[in-house]
Amino acid sequence: DVKVTQSSRYLVKRTGEKVFLECVQDMDHENMFWYRQDPGLGLRLIYFSYDVKMKEKGDIPEGYSVSREKKERFSLILESASTNQTSMYLCASSSGGNTYEQYFGPGTRLTVT
Amino acid sequence: GENVEQHPSTLSVQEGDSAVIKCTYSDSASNYFPWYKQELGKRPQLIIDIRSNVGEKKDQRIAVTLNKTAKHFSLHITETQPEDSAVYFCAATAAGNKLTFGGGTRVLVKP
């Protein structure tokens, strides 16, 4: 059974703080993704990675960066948190190749005050 | 890039009735169309998907239809049950793993 875990379920940070969200998957998946989920906007892709040290911008990368130093771990970084980054953040992974199913983590509800 | 629109945003049905959610996409090169279900407080999970070489796919009470000419696809849930209450997301991709999601449909099944 695929397991995707995220470092925190709830996080409260102040404006201007540097924020790290971590995601770990245990199925040796090639691809990992970071989304943010806002009501009415669905899931919007921030960044994804198809290999260690590789990353590609998604649809809304501004204000975010990522790091993938190990295959199982994908980190999302908010360099200077702002109130408009208050959201639910979901990590996902997929095995790659011709298999596209994405497995999601439980999400991190981030509030920036 | 791809743009996916999903309707309706909310749907209320009586238990036992059918529910239909529709999505349109913009990129004619899209070839994979999954549907995810997210129950309250839980993570999204894939419930059914369809590839562009197939017009319809069914799995028990759920089915998905695809019209490539019109660039739309739909999720059909028959004989709805309370456990079908959730938010449903459609998605599309022409680039394998890079999914573009619709805005979601909140389905409420009333007993």
Side-chain angles (χ1 to χ4, degrees), chain B residues 23-95:
Chain B
C23 290
T24 59
Y25 61 98
S26 61
D27 188 348
S28 56
S30 286
N31 55 15
Y32 175 69
F33 308 90
W35 286 87
Y36 284 78
K37 175 184 180 182
Q38 186 178 28
E39 296 177 14
L40 189 63
K42 298 192 175 179
R43 65 193 77 191
Q45 290 189 298
L46 179 72
I47 56 171
I48 195 167
D49 57 13
I50 192 168
R51 295 185 187 243
S52 59
N53 58 346
V54 176
E56 183 174 357
K57 186 176 179 181
K58 193 172 180 180
D59 183 3
Q60 298 182 344
R61 294 187 298 107
I62 60 173
V64 57
T65 58
L66 171 64
N67 183 329
K68 287 212 71 180
T69 304
K71 289 191 283 187
H72 68 70
F73 57 111
S74 301
L75 178 72
H76 303 253
I77 308 172
T78 58
E79 300 172 23
T80 53
Q81 299 170 6
E83 55 264 36
D84 295 327
S85 294
V87 179
Y88 293 81
F89 295 98
C90 64
T93 180

Side-chain angles (χ1 to χ4, degrees), chain A residues 4 37 94 98 102 104-105, chain B residues 32 36 38 43 51 89 97 102:
Chain A
V4 181
Q37 180 176 13
S94 69
N98 204 31
Q102 295 189 13
F104 285 85
Chain B
Y32 175 69
Y36 284 78
Q38 186 178 28
R43 65 193 77 191
R51 295 185 187 243
F89 295 98
N97 289 284

Side-chain angles (χ1 to χ4, degrees), chain A residues 10-89:
Chain A
Y10 300 94
L11 208 53
V12 180
K13 295 292 181 180
R14 292 186 182 273
T15 301
E17 279 193 87
K18 191 168 186 176
V19 182
F20 293 87
L21 302 181
E22 295 210 318
C23 175
V24 177
Q25 50 92 6
D26 68 353
M27 283 302 291
D28 201 36
H29 280 177
E30 300 292 330
N31 305 308
M32 297 188 75
F33 310 84
W34 275 107
Y35 295 92
R36 63 176 283 175
Q37 180 176 13
D38 300 288
L41 298 178
L43 303 169
R44 293 181 292 166
L45 182 64
I46 305 171
Y47 268 97
F48 66 104
S49 169
Y50 51 89
D51 201 353
V52 176
K53 297 191 187 293
M54 303 299 286
K55 61 184 179 185
E56 282 198 29
K57 293 180 180 179
D59 299 317
I60 51 165
E62 297 77 20
Y64 304 94
S65 63
V66 291
S67 173
R68 193 168 181 200
E69 296 296 318
K70 293 185 177 181
K71 191 174 185 179
E72 67 271 17
R73 190 179 299 268
F74 192 36
S75 301
L76 180 69
I77 303 152
L78 287 66
E79 294 290 341
S80 177
S82 64
T83 54
N84 62 12
Q85 292 179 310
T86 292
S87 187
M88 171 67 83
Y89 290 87

